[in-house]
Amino acid sequence: QVQLVESGGGLVQPGGSLRLSCAASGRTFSSYAMGWFRQAPGKEREFVAAVSRSGGNTYYADSVKGRFTISRDNAKNTVYLQMNSLKFEDTGVYYCAAEPTIALHTTSQSYHYWGQGTQVTVSS
C-alpha cells in the first residue's frame, strides 16, 4: 500500500503559478502510476494529469494542456504538478492518486489510493 500527502496549495491571482507536491510513503513508489484530480465546489471530481511509473509518459486534460506539467522524482517518492497561467476555473481541491499499473488512467475509479487534498484558489 501507499499513503499520499499533498502540499503546495494556496491562494494565487489569475495568471500566477503554483507547484503542488504529493509525497508518498513506502518503498515501491516507482511501481505506481500517479494522477492528479481536482474537485470544485458542487462539481464532480475531474481528471487533471497522469504520469507513468518511470515518468516517461504523461497525459493531460484538455483544459490544462500547455499550462500544467506533471512530473515525478522516484528517488524522493514525490509527484509534482506545476501549474502556470492559472485561471479562475482552476480553483478547487487537488488530489493526488496512485495505482499499481503500467497504464495511464483518467478516471477516478481507476485509482485505489488517494491523498487528503490541497486547496487551490485562484482569485483576484
Side-chain angles (χ1 to χ4, degrees):
Q1 293 191 357
V2 63
Q3 293 183 328
L4 306 172
V5 179
E6 301 97 333
S7 61
L11 174 65
V12 63
Q13 292 185 340
S17 298
L18 279 177
R19 188 175 83 154
L20 305 183
S21 299
C22 174
S25 65
R27 300 180 180 178
T28 59
F29 177 68
S30 60
S31 299
Y32 293 82
M34 301 296 296
W36 284 98
F37 290 75
R38 66 187 181 189
Q39 189 166 18
K43 293 189 175 181
E44 296 285 323
R45 189 171 298 188
E46 65 173 359
F47 169 76
V48 175
V51 62
S52 61
R53 298 184 302 183
S54 68
N57 293 309
T58 57
Y59 190 76
Y60 298 91
D62 287 343
S63 58
V64 306
K65 202 172 295 182
R67 300 187 298 121
F68 290 12
T69 302
I70 188 171
S71 62
R72 66 190 295 161
D73 185 337
N74 286 344
K76 295 182 178 180
N77 282 13
T78 302
V79 63
Y80 305 97
L81 185 68
Q82 177 66 44
M83 305 187 295
N84 299 327
S85 302
L86 283 160
K87 304 176 180 180
F88 292 118
E89 52 264 40
D90 295 318
T91 293
V93 178
Y94 282 69
Y95 300 90
C96 72
E99 181 67 17
T101 176
I102 62 172
L104 293 183
H105 293 289
T106 62
T107 61
S108 58
Q109 297 89 334
S110 299
Y111 291 85
H112 283 87
Y113 304 101
W114 292 84
Q116 83 290 348
T118 185
Q119 175 71 45
V120 172
T121 303
V122 183
S123 175
S124 55

